[in-house]
């Protein structure tokens, strides 16, 4: 292969977290010795180059060692000039036969170098003095690589990569050439040369983090071999060994951190026990307007067992759209209330919080459970806060305003967080300040999450998975539309509205936001109201409206007064209107696959079949691949894996919200097998050495606390 991929480019993170010692942040000037040697201490490195290295986050020799290539060019297979074909990349060895410089009609300097091999010739061309002509001396042997073209009957390469070969140097020696992430003004040759020197002088100073017994058991090479071979591999096999070692170490550090976090929560902190008697269980089930599915019962059994313990529950309830997470959460909330404790239910938006409040009031009508709503827009705030503090409220439903307001809960037993990845880490961490004793946590998501992402972002949580009950939801038919189908699609929508059904139209933007070429919610509302859907009752819903306006729009839609609601993606999560069966998604390329699947979950929430059509404003290959996957797959977890492969983990859930630093070399879409292995290894290691106090674990412990200590201090709920 011409390019051997290593890992997707990740945002910069201080590479000094891999190193020892790290006595000061890498943004400061370290002492001029060891791995902390500043790059300006290297001979031949100019101040201008140092500034460019700094742009990449590279300030020291140690950080340079862990600035990994993003791919490799394979220069090992050398093609004779006589066998070259136009339109194909190739690697060639030849002797300089002639060198010529000329000036083009536009005033640009053009350099021509003619390579000869066994009386066959290849012309190399550089425009505008892009390379130093003095490098090329008649008779000097060069290794060159580039795209072969045919110009005027001659084989030619424009701007090829070149390397001078020393007398007797083998063409196939060490020719997997690293290609690094760069910044403007910095060339690959600069990074390669400096990295070579750093490896020779400083790689031996990197301390080994993995015990010899573990390396032998897992077949991993040592850290010094890994560093050398990841930059300048001798072969694809040695590259694989090096990459496997470094990926294993990075994932193991993460999994050990998560295992230590789980251990600390279980062994140190205590929560109020919330036991569930058979009588209370029957009463709770009697409050629900339907019988729980087998999957829901199993999930509640797991949650109920956790709640009965003094060990704080830290559990993720992970379920597909329509799998019934809310009902399971309500059972857990009522278990807390029945045990004499309060519960808080937090939703990511005020719309969803108000819907949860209405659901609870409806299901608990006529009972003695006291419910309060707390959002940023409620009135009588002081009165409600006083009631909560006095213990006169059993269930508080709200948004992140619950923690921002600093409410006081005298006997908080359970916190339920809906779509938890939409809450910032600090907001989640502040929940522990709401009551005197640490509450149990139940976090929920309907966002399809790949298994590997679950094992990282939620690796310190126990997980209950809810399976979708096909008997409770009708089939959703999904289509990919284009301009030629738009008129007939909206005729179909109109037909469904005449039948008495309701519909959604989803737009990615509100008027005036970002790209004006993308249909906005307000523009679509106007066009549809005065166009194909003019006879029907339409309304508009978006994030810029006041809470009262949004609530009124949803109430009118849920009550059937509005036939079609034009909305932004604020309706993505949890909005339940059973009569809505048809949805149009405009500018669908602006949404991720998991988000599209969430939106699709707003239709067919009853016995009536659903129909969804996605229209895109761009039609590139990646967009078509993603949207066709949306059409072809109805399983959210399958879509999540596809989305992970296409977009990477950082874009799936907004990883910046997790508080975790990004991975430097591991790739969750590619390294799932190693992730599973490191998770098992971490569990065993922490079980046998809970505090990582053994001498052979000292280096690993330092890496764990340096890289993840701060993040996990904030990650009580994932």
């Amino acid at each position: 292969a011409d390019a051997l991929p290593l890992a997707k480019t990740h945002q910069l993170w201080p590479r000094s977290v891999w190193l020892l010692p790290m006595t000061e942040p890498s943004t400061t000037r370290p002492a001029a010795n060891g791995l902390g040697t500043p790059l300006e201490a290297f001979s031949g490195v100019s101040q201008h180059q140092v500034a460019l290295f700094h742009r990449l986050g590279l300030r020291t020799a140690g950080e340079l060692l862990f600035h990994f290539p993003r791919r490799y060019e394979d220069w090992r297979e050398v093609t004779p000039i006589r066998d070259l074909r136009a339109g194909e990349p190739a690697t060639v060895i030849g002797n300089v036969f002639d060198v010529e410089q000329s000036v083009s009609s536009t005033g640009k300097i053009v350099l021509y170098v003619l390579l000869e091999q066994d009386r066959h010739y290849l012309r190399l061309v550089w425009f505008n003095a892009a390379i130093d002509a003095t490098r090329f001396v008649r008779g000097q042997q060069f290794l060159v690589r580039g795209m072969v073209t045919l110009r005027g009957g001659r084989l030619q390469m424009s701007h090829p990569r070149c390397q001078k070969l020393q007398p007797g140097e083998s063409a196939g020696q060490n020719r997997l050439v690293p290609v690094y992430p760069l910044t403007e003004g910095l060339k690959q040759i600069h990074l390669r040369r400096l990295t070579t020197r750093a490896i020779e002088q400083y790689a031996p100073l990197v301390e080994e983090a993995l015990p010899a017994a573990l390396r032998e058991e897992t077949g991993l090479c040592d850290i010094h071999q890994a560093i050398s071979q990841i930059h300048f591999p001798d072969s694809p096999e040695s590259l694989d060994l090096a990459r496997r070692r470094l990926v294993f170490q990075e994932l193991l550090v993460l999994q050990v951190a998560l295992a230590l976090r789980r251990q600390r929560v279980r062994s140190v902190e205590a929560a109020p026990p919330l036991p569930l008697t058979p009588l209370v269980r029957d009463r709770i089930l009697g409050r629900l307007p339907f019988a729980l599915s087998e999957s829901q019962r199993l999930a509640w059994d797991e949650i109920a067992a956790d709640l009965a313990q003094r060990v704080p529950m830290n559990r993720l309830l992970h379920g597909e759209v329509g799998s019934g997470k809310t009902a399971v959460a309500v059972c857990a909330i009522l278990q807390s209330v029945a045990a004499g404790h309060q519960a808080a239910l937090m939703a990511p938006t005020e719309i969803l919080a108000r819907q949860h409040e209405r659901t609870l009031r409806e299901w608990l009508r006529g009972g003695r459970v006291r419910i309060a709503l707390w959002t940023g827009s409620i009135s009588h705030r002081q009165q409600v806060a006083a009631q909560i503090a006095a213990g006169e409220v059993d269930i508080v439903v709200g948004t992140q305003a619950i923690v921002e307001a600093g409410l006081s809960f005298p006997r908080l037993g359970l916190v339920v967080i809906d779509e938890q990845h939409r809450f910032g880490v600090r907001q989640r961490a502040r929940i522990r300040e709401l009551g005197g004793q640490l509450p149990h946590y139940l976090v929920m998501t309907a966002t399809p999450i790949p298994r590997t992402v679950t094992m990282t972002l939620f690796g310190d949580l126990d997980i209950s998975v809810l399976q979708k009950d096909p008997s409770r939801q009708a089939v959703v038919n999904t289509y990919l539309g284009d301009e030629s189908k738009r008129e007939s699609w909206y005729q179909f929508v109109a037909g469904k509205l005449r039948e008495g059904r309701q519909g959604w139209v989803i737009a990615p933007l509100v008027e005036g936001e970002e790209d004006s070429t993308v249909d906005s919610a307000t523009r679509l509302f106007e066009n549809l109201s005065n166009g194909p859907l003019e006879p029907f009752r339409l309304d508009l819903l978006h994030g810029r409206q006041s809470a009262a306006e949004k609530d009124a729009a949803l109430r009118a839609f849920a009550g059937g007064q509005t036939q079609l609601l034009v909305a932004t993606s604020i309706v993505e999560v949890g909005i339940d209107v059973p009569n809505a069966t048809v949805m149009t998604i405009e500018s669908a390329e602006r949404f991720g696959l998991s988000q599209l699947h969430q939106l699709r979950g707003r239709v067919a929430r009853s016995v009536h079949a659903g129909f969804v059509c996605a229209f895109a404003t761009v039609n590139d290959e990646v967009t078509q691949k993603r949207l066709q996957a949306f059409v072809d797959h109805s399983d959210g977890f399958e879509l999540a894996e596809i989305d992970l492969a296409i977009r990477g983990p950082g874009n799936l859930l907004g990883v910046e919200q997790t508080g975790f630093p990004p991975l430097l070399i591991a790739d969750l879409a590619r390294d799932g097998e190693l992730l599973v292995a490191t998770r098992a290894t971490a569990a065993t290691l922490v079980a046998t050495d809970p505090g990582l106090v053994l001498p052979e674990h000292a280096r690993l412990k330092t890496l764990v606390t340096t890289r993840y200590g701060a993040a996990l201090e904030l990650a009580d709920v994932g």
Side-chain angles (χ1 to χ4, degrees), residues 74-79 84 89-93 143-145 157:
D74 190 348
W75 287 34
R76 294 168 302 141
E77 294 188 12
V78 177
T79 304
L84 293 178
T91 301
V92 173
I93 289 180
L143 178 72
V144 301
R145 181 165 182 81
M157 285 184 184

Side-chain angles (χ1 to χ4, degrees), residues 638-697:
E638 288 183 17
L639 283 174
E641 297 293 344
I642 295 171
D643 217 6
L644 175 65
I646 295 174
R647 298 202 300 158
N651 292 319
L652 290 185
L653 298 176
V655 173
E656 70 280 355
Q657 288 287 306
T658 68
F660 277 24
L663 298 172
L664 289 178
I665 189 170
D667 185 327
L668 297 184
R670 178 197 61 203
D671 298 320
E673 183 179 340
L674 280 179
L675 181 62
V676 172
T678 56
R679 184 175 175 86
T681 300
T684 301
L685 192 153
V686 171
T688 55
D689 183 13
L692 299 185
V693 297
L694 296 177
E696 60 266 33
H697 296 151

Side-chain angles (χ1 to χ4, degrees), residues 90-108:
T91 301
V92 173
I93 289 180
N95 296 314
V96 176
F97 184 80
D98 192 22
V99 181
E100 178 185 347
Q101 276 190 328
S102 64
V103 180
S104 69
S105 58
T106 59
K108 294 182 178 179

Side-chain angles (χ1 to χ4, degrees), residues 250-271:
E250 183 168 46
L251 293 177
L252 180 65
V253 169
L254 169 59
Q255 291 301 324
V256 168
L258 293 168
L260 288 172
R261 169 64 189 156
R262 287 167 62 94
Q263 178 199 65
R264 184 171 72 85
V265 169
R266 291 173 181 275
S267 62
V268 178
E269 298 170 330

